[in-house]
Amino acid sequence: MNTVNTKPYHHGNLREEMVRIGVQLAAEGGPEAVSLRKIARRAGVSPSAAYRHFPGQDSLLGAVRHTAADALGRSMQDAVSQVAADAPAAERVIAAGRGYFEFALDRRMLFRCLASGFELPEQDSQDSPFARLLELVGGLEREALAVVDAAARFDAAVALWSAVHGISVLCTSGALRDVPPPRNRELLEVTLATAVRGLRF
C-alpha cells in the first residue's frame, strides 16, 4: 500500500519538498524509483516547475543521496554516543561502523542510493559518514599521541570507509546478502577489527 503523502503541494520551499518526496521514493524502491515526473505528480506541481529546481535526473538523485548520507552519518553518531566517554578511541570507530551497517540493513532501499557511490562531503557537512570517520581518526591520533598530517588522516578515513561500506554493500545487495544474522554481524565485527588494527599512527 502506498503510504507516501500525495497531498498537493501548495507553498513553501518546493526544492526541499521534492527532495523529501525523493527520499521517500528511494526508501520504497531504491534509486530507480526516483524520477522528476513522479515527484512532481506527488507534489501536485507541473513537471516544468520541478525542472526549475533540478535540471535533470542526476541532480535530483544527487540531492537525495546527500540527504540519505546525512541520515547515515547521524546513525553513526547515534551509535557512537552510546559508547562511554572514557572508552578507547577504537571502540568509537567500531561503534560508528556498526551504526553504518545497521542503517544499511534497516533501510536497504535507501542505502542502495549510496551503494553505488556518493560525493565526499562539503567542508561544512558535519553529518556525512566521511566527516564522522575523519573525526574518529582524529581521536585515534590523539590517543596514540601521534602527529598526523591531513593527507595521512584522509587516507586512514578512506581505509575505514572502504571496509565498512564494502561489508555493508556485500551484506545488503551483494554476494553476502543472503547471510542471516547473527553471521552477517560476525562478519562485520571481523571487518571492523581488522580495519582498525591496520591503522598505524
Side-chain angles (χ1 to χ4, degrees):
M1 184 175 69
N2 178 15
T3 59
V4 174
N5 181 10
T6 57
K7 182 179 179 181
Y9 174 81
H10 292 300
H11 61 280
N13 191 323
L14 178 55
R15 188 183 191 281
E16 289 181 2
E17 178 69 0
M18 290 176 64
V19 173
R20 184 189 69 80
I21 295 172
V23 169
Q24 287 184 330
L25 290 170
E28 294 172 357
E32 301 85 359
V34 180
S35 77
L36 277 165
R37 290 189 173 275
K38 188 182 294 184
I39 288 174
R41 187 166 59 249
R42 291 199 178 192
V45 299
S46 67
S48 61
Y51 278 101
R52 282 197 289 271
H53 293 277
F54 295 100
Q57 188 73 12
D58 288 345
S59 61
L60 171 62
L61 194 52
V64 169
R65 280 181 172 140
H66 179 83
T67 301
D70 280 356
L72 173 53
R74 289 191 295 273
S75 176
M76 296 168 68
Q77 182 57 31
D78 288 345
V80 171
S81 69
Q82 303 302 311
V83 177
D86 59 349
E91 288 190 22
R92 288 181 173 70
V93 174
I94 290 172
R98 290 170 182 155
Y100 197 113
F101 189 77
E102 293 303 326
F103 180 97
L105 286 182
D106 293 343
R107 308 185 71 180
R108 290 186 185 223
M109 287 297 166
L110 187 58
F111 183 71
R112 280 182 56 205
C113 291
L114 305 175
S116 58
F118 49 99
E119 299 298 319
L120 287 174
E122 303 277 342
Q123 288 291 343
D124 59 350
S125 177
Q126 296 302 310
D127 284 330
S128 76
F130 192 71
R132 299 292 184 193
L133 289 174
L134 279 172
E135 181 182 351
L136 292 165
V137 167
L140 290 170
E141 289 175 46
R142 289 188 294 274
E143 187 174 84
L145 301 178
V147 178
V148 178
D149 63 24
R153 189 178 304 116
F154 179 92
D155 291 351
V158 168
L160 290 172
W161 192 12
S162 299
V164 69
H165 187 74
I167 192 65
S168 296
V169 171
L170 285 169
C171 287
T172 56
S173 59
L176 302 177
R177 63 187 177 277
D178 295 326
V179 174
R183 179 57 180 151
N184 57 358
R185 289 177 175 83
E186 292 172 355
L187 293 170
L188 168 69
E189 295 300 320
V190 171
T191 300
L192 292 173
T194 302
V196 171
R197 280 201 306 272
L199 296 180
R200 294 290 183 268
F201 294 113

